[in-house]
Amino acid sequence: MDRRYPSTVAVTLTYALLTLAALQCLQANDASDLHLSEDLLPLTLTDAWRFRSGDRPEWALPQVDDQNWLQGSSYLDPQSALRRQWSGRGWFRRWLAVDSTMAREGFALRISHLGASEIYLNGVLLQRNGRIMEDADDAHRSHWALLPAPLSFRKGPNLIAVRYSMPDDVQLGAINSQGVGFELVLSSIEQAEAELAIEYEFGSLLLFVFGITFVMALLHFMIFLFNRQQHATLLFACAASGLSLATLANYQFKFAAPHEGWWFTVSAGNVCFAVFLLAFLYAIFYKRIPRVALLFWLLAPMSVAASWWDYRAALLFITLASVEALRIIGLAVARRREGAWLFGGGVITLVMWFFLFDFDLLGFKDAVSPMTATLVDYCARLTIPLLSAVFLARNYAQQNQQLQVNIEEVRVLSEQTIAQEREKQRLIESQKQHLEEEVAERTAEIRQQHDALQVANLQLEATLGNLKRTQAQLVQSEKLASLGELTAGVAHEMQNPLNFVNNFAELSQELVEEAQEDLEALRTNINEEQIARLNETLADLLTNSRKIGSNGARAANIVKGMLMHAAHGSGKRQEVHLNVLSEEAVKTALRNFRTRYDDCNIEVQQHLDAAPDLIELVPQDINRVLISIVDNACYAVRERWLAAPEGFTAMVTIETRRHEQHFEITIHDNGLGIPAEQRDKIFQPFYTTKPTDAGTGLGLSLAFDIVSKGHGGELLLESEPERGTAFIIVLPPA
């Protein structure tokens, strides 16, 4: 038999079903001029409605004349005259003749629509669904499954009026072909409640199907994540996701929010299910994807986009996909591919039900109850996913069985290999043990050598540090010694001339004073003009002599400072108490200052550390630094005392403090402070802020060299104008 025969039969059968669907016609009931009786219930009221566009509350009353209103279907069909008059809001009226058997309670009206409505019976409001607004676009639309409105007829004519609102621009083509209208069903209360229960059972069924498909999709996504080689598993997960999405959107549309977007999502989900199902079948039964698959991948997004305007675009794509699925299954059966009959039965069942249910061939919908039809519909929809899952599970089982066989073969080979390796392992183990012993012995020797090297390295680093510090101190001592020798020589050479200058200046002053006394005695013998000239000459001589004495004294001070600079100590470090050294230096500095200036009473405060450790330094050098800084501080507070108003207290504070890594001495005064532009020059040699006859500019320069270079410390300056100055001496412990 020709291998193409099964596929040809499948294609022929499919086109026959399409032909039957095209020939199927819809039945419609005309309920105009209807006299009610219980035999007619339930009764669908869709025709013979009188319609008027607009919104006036009195149109609900029976006495309103509606003879001139338009007449037609409540569906508002796209080609009808009612639809052309529709503006988003209007009134529908329908008269019913009721005899005495129907003039009682126990009846209900149930409306289905996508907009908002109000139902009136003989001018009395029965039910409000959603909320009608002034602008139809702002109407709050109600969901599909509405509760029935109970009513009681009176004998004679009864008026049913429906106030209805629905935006005219809603893309209802994506939902149905009935237009923007509504459907009203009259039944007994028992029938209405039974119908409502069926719809809610239908909702539960939708959620059940959604749960099954969602779990299947999630499960196969997880399987693909752990085995990326199984691409068919991923395609099946995508197909199940599409069916799950369509089922959830259908539930949302019918029972939550009747928005056209949800129905569009239903179409998109069904298209997604169809195209990924085809891709799944291609992956199973084809080694290479055929070119026709590209056509379906192109048509899928186009049909989804077109279904926004007309849902039948998605229906057409699903039909073509069904035909292609039948063709694939037919070829697979003809080629005796594994699993072909399994998929063939599922696909044929789904396609047959698709034509029977969606196209309503042979009046199937009328032959069974809606609940039964819906149940069978979703069972048919689940056929392909369930059979696909069975096929994948069967493949996994076969793979596992083959894997078990391979594992058994590997186990036998492993036992043989292990037996061979054990002998090798025994030899290797003995050699390994011998090598480990040798390595352990060698490692112990290396460790001992390493530890010894580390100790020696630490000792060398400590020795190197001491040598560097000693070298720096020796270099500084040599510099100071050389500078001291130079300074001593210069001072010695300058001392004798300065002594002569000072001596002759004093003699000149004495001679001038004696001459002035003699002139007074000779005043009677010399005229006044000569005396005046002689006095003027003697006055100039006296002034010059005084200037000689002043400059000689300044030169003597410079020599004295240079001698102090040269008279450094032995340079040997000693351990001393910092507090004792500070107290002696402060006393010496105050005694020297008060011999020069006894007009200012300076208050000295000392805040010494309670128990400082011994510090190793050159006592003579640090003593000289402290005396110089304290002397400058006393001079600064005296200058401010002279310029300050009464009540100012001249104060100098000395503080010692022991830190974890260094010692600190702070000398603070409340003098005038040092301007910012002078702070960078304050430690330069021969630079001074004092008058020329009060300072030489060598004290702070010498102090900076002694602290930083001689002791490896820091001399810091902090000053604020009109607030005072602080010098901070930072010394290392050794």
Side-chain angles (χ1 to χ4, degrees):
M1 185 177 64
D2 190 356
R3 291 185 176 181
R4 293 175 297 176
Y5 177 73
S7 59
T8 305
V9 173
V11 173
T12 304
L13 179 60
T14 302
Y15 282 109
L17 292 173
L18 289 174
T19 305
L20 290 175
L23 296 176
Q24 182 69 20
C25 61
L26 299 175
Q27 297 179 356
N29 294 327
D30 187 6
S32 60
D33 301 330
L34 183 65
H35 293 271
L36 287 182
S37 64
E38 292 191 28
D39 297 337
L40 298 176
L41 301 182
L43 178 63
T44 301
L45 301 176
T46 56
D47 297 328
W49 287 90
R50 296 186 180 275
F51 166 76
R52 184 167 183 178
S53 180
D55 189 15
R56 296 180 63 180
E58 59 270 19
W59 289 348
L61 301 178
Q63 54 267 30
V64 173
D65 185 9
D66 56 9
Q67 294 299 317
N68 294 327
W69 289 22
L70 294 176
Q71 188 172 357
S73 171
S74 62
Y75 286 150
L76 291 175
D77 300 320
Q79 305 302 325
S80 65
L82 274 66
R83 177 61 182 274
R84 289 192 293 271
Q85 295 293 327
W86 180 251
S87 61
R89 187 168 51 183
W91 282 79
F92 293 81
R93 292 162 57 96
R94 175 71 183 269
W95 289 92
L96 300 176
V98 178
D99 57 18
S100 58
T101 60
M102 295 285 292
R104 58 180 176 83
E105 298 179 352
F107 302 100
L109 285 173
R110 192 159 180 270
I111 193 169
S112 299
H113 55 63
L114 299 178
S117 66
E118 293 177 358
I119 304 174
Y120 295 85
L121 178 64
N122 299 322
V124 178
L125 178 64
L126 294 180
Q127 188 181 59
R128 180 179 286 112
N129 302 299
R131 187 167 57 185
I132 299 176
M133 307 296 289
E134 290 295 329
D135 189 350
D137 292 335
D138 297 332
H140 294 261
R141 293 150 63 181
S142 63
H143 60 79
W144 191 276
L146 299 174
L147 296 176
L151 57 87
S152 60
F153 289 113
R154 65 187 180 186
K155 184 179 179 180
N158 289 260
L159 174 65
I160 297 177
V162 178
R163 182 189 181 201
Y164 184 62
S165 176
M166 179 69 182
D168 190 43
D169 58 350
V170 174
Q171 299 295 340
L172 289 176
I175 303 172
N176 55 36
S177 59
Q178 296 176 354
V180 298
F182 61 89
E183 181 181 88
L184 191 66
V185 178
L186 174 62
S187 64
S188 65
I189 292 180
E190 293 79 6
Q191 293 172 333
E193 291 177 348
E195 186 67 24
L196 184 63
I198 291 175
E199 291 193 4
Y200 280 112
E201 289 176 0
F202 173 67
S204 300
L205 180 62
L206 287 178
L207 292 178
F208 174 73
V209 174
F210 165 72
I212 292 178
T213 53
F214 178 78
V215 169
M216 293 176 63
L218 181 62
L219 177 62
H220 285 81
F221 272 124
M222 296 299 294
I223 293 174
F224 174 74
L225 289 177
F226 289 105
N227 188 0
R228 299 295 182 90
Q229 301 299 324
Q230 296 292 335
H231 296 93
T233 305
L234 176 62
L235 295 173
F236 173 76
C238 294
S241 299
L243 184 57
S244 176
L245 176 65
T247 307
L248 179 61
N250 194 4
Y251 176 84
Q252 290 285 62
F253 176 79
K254 291 183 178 296
F255 298 97
H259 193 273
E260 59 273 12
W262 284 115
W263 195 255
F264 171 75
T265 307
V266 173
S267 299
N270 286 326
V271 170
C272 179
F273 169 67
V275 71
F276 279 107
L277 180 61
L278 284 179
F280 174 69
L281 294 177
Y282 287 138
I284 291 176
F285 297 119
Y286 282 81
K287 294 181 180 180
R288 297 179 60 184
I289 304 299
R291 294 182 180 179
V292 69
L294 179 61
L295 175 63
F296 282 95
W297 282 108
L298 293 174
L299 289 177
M302 297 171 59
S303 62
V304 170
S307 64
W308 178 255
W309 289 274
D310 194 334
Y311 77 103
R312 288 172 292 189
L315 192 62
L316 177 60
F317 178 83
I318 295 171
T319 303
L320 295 176
S322 301
V323 173
E324 177 64 11
L326 289 174
R327 187 188 70 82
I328 295 172
I329 297 300
L331 292 176
V333 171
R335 295 170 183 174
R336 298 182 179 181
R337 299 295 298 273
E338 184 179 1
W341 284 108
L342 185 66
F343 280 104
V347 171
I348 292 174
T349 301
L350 181 61
V351 172
M352 291 295 294
W353 180 255
F354 173 72
F355 287 109
L356 288 174
F357 184 79
D358 289 342
F359 288 102
D360 196 19
L361 296 180
L362 308 176
F364 181 80
K365 287 186 178 180
D366 296 333
V368 298
S369 65
M371 184 63 184
T372 302
T374 303
L375 178 62
V376 176
D377 178 41
Y378 276 92
C379 288
R381 290 172 185 264
L382 289 174
T383 300
I384 293 297
L386 291 175
L387 292 177
S388 300
V390 170
F391 176 79
L392 292 176
R394 180 183 175 187
N395 281 348
Y396 291 144
Q398 291 177 349
Q399 292 176 2
N400 288 334
Q401 291 176 358
Q402 184 62 37
L403 183 61
Q404 291 295 331
V405 173
N406 295 337
I407 290 174
E408 182 64 23
E409 293 177 355
V410 170
R411 187 185 64 80
V412 173
L413 293 175
S414 298
E415 290 179 353
Q416 296 175 357
T417 305
I418 290 173
Q420 297 173 359
E421 291 293 330
R422 280 177 182 172
E423 182 63 23
K424 296 180 182 178
Q425 189 68 25
R426 187 182 62 80
L427 297 174
I428 293 174
E429 193 66 29
S430 62
Q431 294 178 0
K432 178 181 177 183
Q433 185 175 0
H434 179 67
L435 290 174
E436 285 178 352
E437 292 175 356
E438 292 183 354
V439 169
E441 294 176 359
R442 185 57 181 164
T443 302
E445 294 176 0
I446 293 174
R447 232 173 240 171
Q448 292 176 357
Q449 295 175 1
H450 181 263
D451 294 340
L453 288 175
Q454 280 189 334
V455 172
N457 187 30
L458 292 176
Q459 293 176 351
L460 288 175
E461 288 181 354
T463 304
L464 180 60
N466 293 331
L467 287 175
K468 287 183 178 178
R469 288 194 294 270
T470 303
Q471 183 182 11
Q473 294 169 3
L474 289 174
V475 171
Q476 179 62 20
S477 298
E478 291 297 328
K479 289 182 179 179
L480 291 175
S482 300
L483 180 61
E485 293 176 359
L486 176 63
T487 304
V490 174
H492 179 73
E493 294 296 329
M494 292 181 63
Q495 187 66 42
N496 291 332
L498 287 174
N499 289 336
F500 282 109
V501 169
N502 292 334
N503 292 335
F504 281 113
E506 293 178 358
L507 291 174
S508 298
Q509 293 178 8
E510 293 176 358
L511 291 174
V512 170
E513 291 174 354
E514 292 177 0
Q516 288 178 344
E517 292 176 357
D518 294 339
L519 286 175
E520 288 295 330
L522 297 175
R523 184 180 294 275
T524 56
N525 298 324
I526 302 176
N527 60 42
E528 293 295 330
E529 183 178 356
Q530 291 175 342
I531 292 173
R533 286 198 304 271
L534 184 58
N535 284 332
E536 182 178 355
T537 302
L538 293 174
D540 292 340
L541 180 60
L542 180 61
T543 301
N544 292 337
S545 298
R546 289 175 178 171
K547 289 182 179 181
I548 291 172
S550 175
N551 286 281
R554 182 171 181 272
N557 289 333
I558 293 174
V559 170
K560 182 179 179 181
M562 295 175 69
L563 289 174
M564 289 179 63
H565 198 288
H568 56 81
S570 62
K572 294 182 179 180
R573 289 177 171 265
Q574 302 177 15
E575 288 189 348
V576 298
H577 286 280
L578 193 61
N579 288 349
V580 176
L581 181 65
S582 300
E583 289 177 344
E584 292 178 355
V586 171
K587 290 178 182 178
T588 302
L590 287 175
R591 186 169 56 251
N592 294 339
F593 184 80
R594 284 169 179 165
T595 58
R596 302 195 310 272
Y597 308 101
D598 58 354
D599 55 347
C600 178
N601 185 21
I602 299 175
E603 180 180 345
V604 178
Q605 294 184 357
Q606 298 190 52
H607 303 287
L608 306 179
D609 198 317
D613 296 335
L614 292 175
I615 180 171
E616 185 178 309
L617 47 76
V618 182
Q620 297 87 345
D621 292 347
I622 298 300
N623 185 65
R624 191 176 304 161
V625 171
L626 292 173
I627 291 174
S628 177
I629 295 176
V630 173
D631 185 78
N632 288 340
C634 293
Y635 182 85
V637 297
R638 179 180 178 273
E639 290 295 314
R640 186 173 181 184
W641 175 79
L642 293 174
E646 295 182 2
F648 174 76
T649 301
M651 182 179 297
V652 176
T653 304
I654 295 89
E655 179 182 358
T656 62
R657 183 177 299 175
R658 173 72 166 93
H659 294 275
E660 183 178 354
Q661 299 294 334
H662 63 272
F663 292 88
E664 190 176 285
I665 307 172
T666 303
I667 298 99
H668 182 270
D669 65 72
N670 60 345
L672 294 173
I674 301 174
E677 62 272 10
Q678 297 180 1
R679 295 174 195 166
D680 295 336
K681 306 176 184 178
I682 201 68
F683 296 117
Q684 295 179 3
F686 299 102
Y687 180 82
T688 180
T689 59
K690 300 177 183 178
T692 56
D693 59 347
T696 63
L698 292 173
L700 289 178
S701 173
L702 178 61
F704 184 82
D705 288 343
I706 290 173
V707 173
S708 61
K709 299 179 180 179
H711 290 79
E714 293 181 282
L715 180 58
L716 306 176
L717 169 64
E718 296 178 357
S719 181
E720 294 184 25
E722 304 300 329
R723 297 289 298 274
T725 302
F727 284 90
I728 303 171
I729 303 171
V730 180
L731 296 172

